[in-house]
Amino acid sequence: MDLIISVLGILTLLLEGISCQGVYAPPTVRIVHSGHACNVEEERHAERVYTIREGETLELTCLVTGHPRPQIRWTKTAGSVSDRFQDSSVFNETLHITKIQRHQGGRYYCKAENGLGSPAIKSIRVDVYFLDDPVVTVHQSVGEAKEQFYYERTVFLRCMANSNPPVRYSWHRGRDVLSQGSDKGVEIYEPFFTQGETKILKLKNLRPQDYANYSCIASVRNVCGISDRNIVFKLTNKTVSPSIKLLVEDPIVVNPGQTVSLVCITTGGEPKPTLSWVSSSDRLPEKSVVKGGTLTLPAITSDEAGVYSCVATNNVGNPAKKSTTIVVRAMKKGRFWITPDPYHNDDNIQIGREVKISCQVEATPPEELTFGWLKNGRALRSSERMVITQTDPDTSPGTTNLDIIDLKFTDFGTYTCVAALKGGGIPEISIDVNISSTTVPPNLTVPRGKSPLVVQEGDTVELECLVSGKPKPIILWSRADKEAPMPDGTLQVESYDGVLRIVNVSREMTGSYRCQTSQFNGFNVKPREAVVELIVQYPPSVEPVSLEMRQGLGRPVAMNCRVLRAHPSRVLRYEWRLGNRLLHAGHFDQSDETEYTVKSLNREGWGEYTCDIINEAGAGRCTFLVTGKAYPPEFYYDTYSPLWQNRPRVYGFKLQWTQMNPNAVDRIVAYRLGIRQMGQQRWWEQEITVEGTITKGELITHNLTELIKPEAYEVRLTPITRFGEGDSTIRIITYSAPVNPHLREFHCSFEEEPICMFTQDKNDDFDWTRHSAATRDTKYTPNTGPSGDRSGSKQGFYMYIETSRPRKEGEVARLVSPFFNVAPKNPYGITNPPAYCFGFFFHMYGKHIGTLNALLRQKGQAATEGPTWSLSGNQGDHWKQAKVSIHPTASFQVVLEGIRGPGIEGDIAIDDVTLEEGECRDLPAINLRSAAPSTSAHIWLLSVTLVMTFRWGHR
């Protein structure tokens, strides 16, 4: 015994004495679970599976070790279907998902990294269980369909429900269970292609008794407490698939702004079909109204035109569907072009030759489009010399042509093309075309001084092409130097005045731009074109844009500013400043960078240095913040036994840290320690003086005392140098019993997740759960379980067995302590075994309370002993203490075993487990059940050596 304590003491000194690089360690990680798990399978084929019911709360915590403290990131993949991480990640220790949905199942990864070694990654697969209501559909064998075809025909009833895990189906006719072989007229099978996700009931050659109520029951065998779902279908000799009729025309042509009503009625179907409306755009317009089988579209717009379908379903046969198309009248984009005599190679209009005027309008519906021609306001009819034609709308959208044969002076004038829709309601479009001696084809030029055009990045620029001729055509702008979109994202931009306006021009827009004439509103001749060069100047891009440089007094500081790109790149100059004071200026020669060095930093040298690199377009700036600020300390989270209880109501905490880059600035002379209780506003502060120079990796320790149990505290640590305060670091410390105490006194109150190295038995039926009254969901367990931990705190934690579904009577959960060694004083074994007092608090409240057993597992003993302590039944809504003396003769563990009672109001809780040397004193007065051996209280024999105790102490 003394040897074990000595070894643990030496190990503690070794851990606390680390003062160099040894405290730095790569990360390790493990995932622990809480929340509303139905079941957790540990390490099955190197994968942990967490099963949860849809709608419950998922909570996974990533426990890490490593120094500096690793950064944690949660990511997820979609099960085995995809190995790609989702975009969204969670950057904290606990992943909490309330009301989890089926699509949130999959493999969750916890990744921890701190820059040392490879990142540590663990995963757990979350399996979300659910069961939807089943749906029954009815079909007849192919080729036999007639009206009321279910009379003396073979019928198939198909049942299907979405579920996880796979669903099992059963069929009932009335109250009778149907099974394969129970009725010659009935056959039940699962088609191969559905992989067991459906169940088909085949009724061969319907008989009178087959007309009945059929129930399909879908079950996942009550896993996660999911109850069975069922649906009833009534089969009669009138059962028939739906049929419908639309009381509207097809298509329906309307004017914009009209209200459109589509009426759909059922003409058959038993059971009565359900009517719904769908559109070709996937969803109905927001302002649409559906009432029964009538769909109303008020104030319809062109965007709402399309195909609308009425669908009738009653789960018998196939759904019935009827569709109609709504066409909303519209006209837009009226254009014209003039084509000179196509038989002569001449772009001009000449007397005695032919000229064609074309007019085009986009119309809906195109077949309603009509054209009329006017000359100088008078109607014009087709003749031998004035030929009016209209193209086929199927080959070319609404175009009309006026061919003037043998042009004469008397033909000069204004010709007007008038477009209208036969249905009316849409304003006409009129297009005027002037034919005269001044009607000439276009020409394009770039104004003097407008190419190349030099502008500054961010300016608004106008690229201009002058267009001459009459009429003036539409100008098309595009990139001439590369296949790239225009600034608005299109490949071409139309301009009616020949000007391309670009707002907030950027450097990527530098290049050649082509302007060219289009045939629209002009001559249908070879396009004229010109090119405008655009040069966008921009100030230098530099690096670093911003950089903090930490340095101690008397040391050199070198700052370097580099040019990445600039236009123009010549005649660059630079200016170095500290605040507003000019330090150095000059011009670049061949180099693309400039450097400024402070040879020996003094107090006046701290501050913000800037380097401006300047060209004609402006300046790029590098900023250097030179400071003597110390880097933040790095809290050490892997301290061995950081917490101790020195008095009943207060506790102490061993706070440890290393200093990041301690030699980067002046010597750290002190730390400012701030501490405040969680939930409070006030900080308490003190200074911790530092003697000597801190080295990299040196582990610094400061003991916090007089902390109130079981409160948590926020601790802030700030280094101080001659410069002043450095960067702070904050951490949270929480109360719990020591994780690895020695045998003189073991105390565990389950306040931290490692639960004092207790483990869940792998050979029992379910697990103990760590919880607090502040977070526990009582919807499964009314009238049972504690309202707080043993001390009465709602924030404190305890362990309990959850006896709600799917737990069954007699199922066992075992919580196993760490290993404890009993070292013999002579090599021949223990002749006078020592005594230990094993104690704990328990809460056994509820009318279905089962049994709580305490067992001893030790080496070298037959596995026939029963519990050392046992209690059954409701003990009231109070915490009570139990103590029992044990006399182990070898290495041992203590086991707390909870056995589920006959119902859900049977939660058993434990807290404040202790193990002390010596016989128990002041035993509590409790009526105990006889501790007779039973099959549910097995004793395991484990060999535990001094080496195992040493490893446990090391954690």
Side-chain angles (χ1 to χ4, degrees), residues 631-767:
Y631 285 95
E634 305 162 315
F635 279 119
Y636 188 65
Y637 285 80
D638 300 333
T639 303
Y640 171 73
S641 294
L643 186 146
W644 71 93
Q645 289 106 327
N646 48 8
R647 293 207 298 275
R649 295 189 177 274
V650 298
Y651 69 100
F653 192 89
K654 184 189 299 180
L655 192 69
Q656 293 187 302
W657 70 91
T658 58
Q659 178 60 44
M660 180 190 295
N661 301 330
N663 301 320
V665 295
D666 292 327
R667 184 180 75 83
I668 294 172
V669 297
Y671 285 94
R672 177 166 287 113
L673 174 69
I675 184 169
R676 69 175 176 183
Q677 185 175 322
M678 294 297 292
Q680 303 294 323
Q681 297 297 320
R682 185 175 180 181
W683 286 89
W684 298 91
E685 292 191 337
Q686 70 175 101
E687 281 200 2
I688 304 170
T689 304
V690 175
E691 301 293 339
T693 302
I694 298 174
T695 60
K696 185 173 178 61
E698 179 179 349
L699 194 61
I700 305 167
T701 300
H702 179 79
N703 291 325
L704 302 175
T705 59
E706 303 299 319
L707 305 178
I708 301 172
K709 297 180 182 178
E711 302 298 337
Y713 290 84
E714 186 176 8
V715 177
R716 180 178 63 205
L717 198 60
T718 309
I720 301 173
T721 64
R722 286 190 290 176
F723 174 83
E725 291 190 354
D727 291 336
S728 299
T729 301
I730 293 178
R731 71 163 291 185
I732 306 296
I733 60 173
T734 55
Y735 169 77
S736 70
V739 175
N740 294 322
H742 55 73
L743 276 183
R744 290 189 184 276
E745 181 182 6
F746 174 87
H747 182 189
C748 181
S749 57
F750 307 109
E751 296 301 325
E752 288 189 352
E753 185 57 42
I755 57 174
C756 317
M757 306 307 289
F758 272 86
T759 58
Q760 306 280 359
D761 195 327
K762 294 185 180 299
N763 296 310
D764 57 5
D765 301 307
F766 65 108
D767 288 347

Side-chain angles (χ1 to χ4, degrees), residues 415-452:
Y415 292 85
T416 304
C417 163
V418 180
L421 291 178
K422 294 177 183 177
I426 303 296
E428 295 178 341
I429 294 179
S430 295
I431 303 168
D432 292 333
V433 184
N434 187 266
I435 301 295
S436 69
S437 58
T438 60
T439 303
V440 293
N443 191 28
L444 275 182
T445 58
V446 177
R448 180 174 296 181
K450 291 293 186 177
S451 181

